[in-house]
Amino acid sequence: LSPPQVIIGDHDGQMAVLDYLNGAEMKSFQYTESEDRAHRNEVTRLCYCAKYKTVISCSWDRSIMVHDDNDSERDILLLQMTGGHSSDITALAYSHNLSLIASASSDATLQIWDYEFGRLEGTCDGHPAGISALAFLDPYACLLAADANGNLCLWAMRPAIGKYVGEWHVRVMST
């Protein structure tokens, strides 16, 4: 059995697996194409896929990477997805049921990617502000997105990726 682990990413683009109990580094993700780092810029979000033992990361370098976590010593890059965003990636979500990755950026774009092949499946347009949070509503084929203006948008996924379902505006009131 492996010890309990925590996976971290930092502002320099570094990623590491740490022993949860004592903080010792167990493994780092370093690739020559990223200047011996996981990303060329700050790591903004991480998702762990337990079934496949992979780590999905995104960064301000506008890339999404899928890292193999099966090997306890070697760092293996399985997929790198670029070209979907023209601004910093600010949110990330993964759906095991749909085999999809969702990424969103500060320019209000939301991209849907195929997990297995890394290809862009679709774009969801409609947010008026930068997107700050994403969540797949497994087992349903829906994605919930929140933007900086307080809007919540519900998006239909497979088979009709990017179909706009509805929008709610959240207003926080103090007493």
Side-chain angles (χ1 to χ4, degrees), residues 68-86:
D68 187 359
D69 193 37
N70 279 306
D71 193 317
S72 62
E73 296 177 13
R74 294 185 331 136
D75 43 337
I76 300 169
L77 179 62
L78 299 174
L79 285 171
Q80 181 175 6
M81 296 162 270
T82 59
H85 295 284
S86 60

Side-chain angles (χ1 to χ4, degrees), residues 170-175:
V170 178
R171 185 181 333 152
V172 178
M173 302 174 71
S174 60
T175 57

Side-chain angles (χ1 to χ4, degrees), residues 26-159:
M26 300 170 64
K27 170 175 141 175
S28 65
F29 297 93
Q30 299 177 343
Y31 311 111
T32 55
E33 56 269 15
S34 299
E35 302 164 5
D36 290 326
R37 299 178 287 179
H39 285 276
R40 287 190 171 94
N41 212 319
E42 182 169 337
V43 176
T44 54
R45 297 286 186 270
L46 297 169
C47 291
Y48 190 77
C49 176
K51 180 177 180 180
Y52 301 112
K53 291 188 176 180
T54 59
V55 180
I56 306 166
S57 64
C58 65
S59 167
W60 284 353
D61 65 10
R62 301 174 187 158
S63 70
I64 301 162
M65 295 187 177
V66 180
H67 316 268
D68 187 359
D69 193 37
N70 279 306
D71 193 317
S72 62
E73 296 177 13
R74 294 185 331 136
D75 43 337
I76 300 169
L77 179 62
L78 299 174
L79 285 171
Q80 181 175 6
M81 296 162 270
T82 59
H85 295 284
S86 60
S87 186
D88 299 339
I89 300 175
T90 55
L92 182 72
Y94 167 73
S95 170
H96 168 71
N97 289 349
L98 300 171
S99 192
L100 293 174
I101 297 170
S103 61
S105 68
S106 56
D107 66 1
T109 60
L110 198 161
Q111 306 287 342
I112 307 300
W113 306 84
D114 179 85
Y115 170 80
E116 188 174 345
F117 300 107
R119 72 177 165 255
L120 185 61
E121 293 280 316
T123 301
C124 302
D125 293 319
H127 277 275
I131 300 168
S132 54
L134 295 171
F136 280 101
L137 304 179
D138 287 338
Y140 307 104
C142 293
L143 174 69
L144 186 63
D147 68 33
N149 288 350
N151 297 304
L152 297 175
C153 293
L154 188 62
W155 300 95
M157 293 292 108
R158 289 187 173 151

Side-chain angles (χ1 to χ4, degrees), residues 155-169:
W155 300 95
M157 293 292 108
R158 289 187 173 151
I161 289 179
K163 183 177 179 188
Y164 183 74
V165 177
E167 180 178 327
W168 299 267
H169 183 74

